[in-house]
Amino acid sequence: YSSSKGGSSNIWIMESDGSGKRKVTEKGGEYPSFSADGKKIVFVSYRDNKYGDIYTVDVNSGKEVRITSDRNIKLYPSFMNDDSKLIYSSIEFDTNKNGSLDLQDRSIIRFMDLKNNLSYPLTKYSESSFKAKWLPVLQTRDYKGVIIYTDITGENINLNIIPETGIIPKKL
């Protein structure tokens, strides 16, 4: 979980009964999500970038790795089936035309493959998509899970399920 106890927001972990609380980050962290094996946490930190950057931290050693460093707003990172693939909400364009990126602009779900240095959008820029999670269900020969996420259409918040490859066709 993240807590601003002591001033800035940092990532903490604890046992399921609430015992053994331990701060995992020292320089800030929000929106934590564990890897499937529980050995890593992916999170956003605003320590070096006002738009936030994605980091991972090894739970046992505390070693952090910065994953992104760009001018897009990043929110809600999450691991996929292993700790080399991530999805997260990304605000990349000033869609409300107020002259700057902010949380009122539309977001997409972005995929990152850390091993192969690939990154691409999984959802359309015309809708605001956020809070994606990968689930190991509905496995086929083409994919090993699905992505569940929310979007806003008008005044409605919708729950969506898409293949882990996204809804945007990829050129091969």
Side-chain angles (χ1 to χ4, degrees):
Y1 67 95
S2 63
S3 171
S4 56
K5 182 181 186 177
S8 64
S9 185
N10 277 292
I11 308 297
W12 293 71
I13 58 174
M14 66 180 173
E15 299 299 324
S16 59
D17 65 2
S19 66
K21 290 181 183 176
R22 179 170 63 97
K23 188 168 27 168
V24 179
T25 61
E26 294 292 334
K27 297 179 182 178
E30 296 184 34
Y31 313 115
S33 183
F34 276 93
S35 60
D37 63 9
K39 293 180 180 180
K40 288 186 179 180
I41 298 173
V42 63
F43 63 96
V44 174
S45 178
Y46 299 94
R47 65 183 81 160
D48 297 319
N49 180 348
K50 71 178 184 176
Y51 299 112
D53 283 317
I54 296 176
Y55 291 78
T56 60
V57 62
D58 183 281
V59 172
N60 292 325
S61 71
K63 181 183 177 197
E64 292 184 12
V65 176
R66 186 177 184 181
I67 304 299
T68 63
S69 60
D70 57 45
R71 294 184 164 272
N72 300 327
I73 296 174
K74 289 154 289 292
L75 304 161
Y76 314 113
S78 180
F79 288 107
M80 291 181 68
N81 57 326
D82 64 50
D83 63 10
S84 70
K85 294 177 183 166
L86 303 173
I87 51 175
Y88 62 95
S89 300
S90 181
I91 299 174
E92 302 177 0
F93 299 104
D94 178 21
T95 57
N96 64 5
K97 307 294 185 207
N98 69 352
S100 65
L101 283 183
D102 57 44
L103 296 177
Q104 304 308 311
D105 291 312
R106 286 191 296 268
S107 61
I108 58 155
I109 305 301
R110 181 164 284 283
F111 166 83
M112 286 189 78
D113 181 334
L114 304 176
K115 283 183 184 173
N116 297 306
N117 200 26
L118 293 172
S119 177
Y120 52 83
L122 296 176
T123 58
K124 299 175 185 177
Y125 285 95
S126 59
E127 300 169 0
S128 197
S129 307
F130 51 95
K131 289 192 178 178
K133 293 288 181 190
W134 179 86
L135 300 172
V137 296
L138 302 173
Q139 295 184 16
T140 72
R141 66 181 170 90
D142 297 322
Y143 56 90
K144 296 178 179 153
V146 296
I147 295 171
I148 187 167
Y149 71 96
T150 54
D151 73 25
I152 297 175
T153 305
E155 295 187 18
N156 297 318
I157 297 177
N158 305 300
L159 187 62
N160 301 278
I161 300 172
I162 59 173
E164 67 185 3
T165 54
I167 61 174
I168 300 172
K170 310 292 179 293
K171 292 183 179 178
L172 298 177

